[in-house]
Amino acid sequence: MVGERWALLVVRELLNGPKRFSELSRGLPGMSQNVLAARLRELETDSVVRNYRLGPPASTRVYELTQRGYQLEELLIAASRWGNGVPFDAVDARADLSVDALALAMKTAFDGKRAGALRARVELCLDGDRFHADIEHGEFRIARGAARTADAILDTNVATMRGLVFGSLSLTDALRSRAVRLTGDQRVATRFVNCFPGK
């Protein structure tokens, strides 16, 4: 069921909420639209994914995980943790990484000891996709959608965020080069990116 090529990556792309077909395709750039359509049909048949039409004014079809589909999250987290053991320098930084792949990697690489007593909500705007990330009691949660209130908002692209949390890029340098736009508390934003293994 999930051993078919691309199947688990489709599931990964839906972990943070429903997506349109075009959004799924954008997050899986190496996958043809025909193969994506076939995988979605198979995953629907196996009750991993369902699709439905949004009401007006959108009136478009979206795909989301079923309860059975969400049970695969632990499998993906385990695979992501395994992948986090690869040194950042050994990974081709030019390789495509979807925003949902980055969110999953951040979820699995977060270091609660580095966070300490930090309690913060940070909004991430990554290539136009908005996520809110919460740190509290040494735990990290990230989900799609804008934050109602945020201590800091980081607006950048996936490659830059990847460098901030997994590479050697400092927030100060990213702000100086205008690779990141920051709204809110810079100290909170700095502590946030320092909760990951690149620092």
Side-chain angles (χ1 to χ4, degrees):
M1 183 186 301
V2 295
E4 289 290 340
R5 189 174 183 216
W6 298 101
L8 280 176
L9 296 181
V10 172
V11 172
R12 179 200 69 194
E13 290 298 302
L14 293 171
L15 282 176
N16 293 300
K19 282 187 167 185
R20 298 176 179 88
F21 184 92
S22 60
E23 293 169 329
L24 281 166
S25 184
R26 190 173 70 238
L28 298 162
M31 185 181 193
S32 76
Q33 292 194 347
N34 287 341
V35 173
L36 175 57
R39 286 298 91 82
L40 285 167
R41 280 193 303 272
E42 292 161 4
L43 291 168
E44 282 185 75
T45 299
D46 293 325
S47 301
V48 174
V49 169
R50 73 180 191 104
N51 80 78
Y52 60 93
R53 188 171 295 282
L54 293 175
S59 197
T60 186
R61 192 161 294 283
V62 295
Y63 296 85
E64 72 174 1
L65 293 177
T66 63
Q67 185 175 359
R68 183 171 171 78
Y70 276 111
Q71 290 172 351
L72 292 167
E73 183 174 16
E74 287 304 312
L75 178 64
L76 286 161
I77 285 173
S80 184
R81 283 200 180 110
W82 178 83
N84 287 342
V86 178
F88 183 81
D89 294 342
V91 178
D92 185 352
R94 296 165 301 171
D96 288 327
L97 187 69
S98 75
V99 66
D100 288 279
L102 178 63
L104 180 64
M106 290 174 68
K107 188 184 291 188
T108 58
F110 175 77
D111 187 338
K113 290 181 181 174
R114 290 177 188 234
L118 177 64
R119 182 177 180 180
R121 171 167 279 190
V122 175
E123 182 174 310
L124 306 174
C125 184
L126 304 171
D127 292 322
D129 271 320
R130 292 193 177 273
F131 288 79
H132 56 275
D134 295 292
I135 297 175
E136 188 174 6
H137 305 303
E139 294 184 358
F140 177 76
R141 291 180 304 281
I142 185 166
R144 180 171 275 108
R148 289 182 184 169
T149 59
D151 300 299
I153 301 172
L154 294 171
D155 189 345
T156 186
N157 56 49
V158 169
T160 300
M161 183 58 68
R162 183 182 187 183
L164 285 170
V165 297
F166 294 110
S168 57
L169 179 62
S170 74
L171 182 59
T172 301
D173 288 343
L175 289 169
R176 187 177 298 124
S177 68
R178 298 186 180 177
V180 172
R181 289 179 296 284
L182 170 69
T183 305
D185 193 328
Q186 185 172 341
R187 290 171 301 175
V188 169
T190 300
R191 288 196 63 192
F192 174 80
V193 298
N194 288 342
C195 291
F196 298 88
K199 301 298 176 274

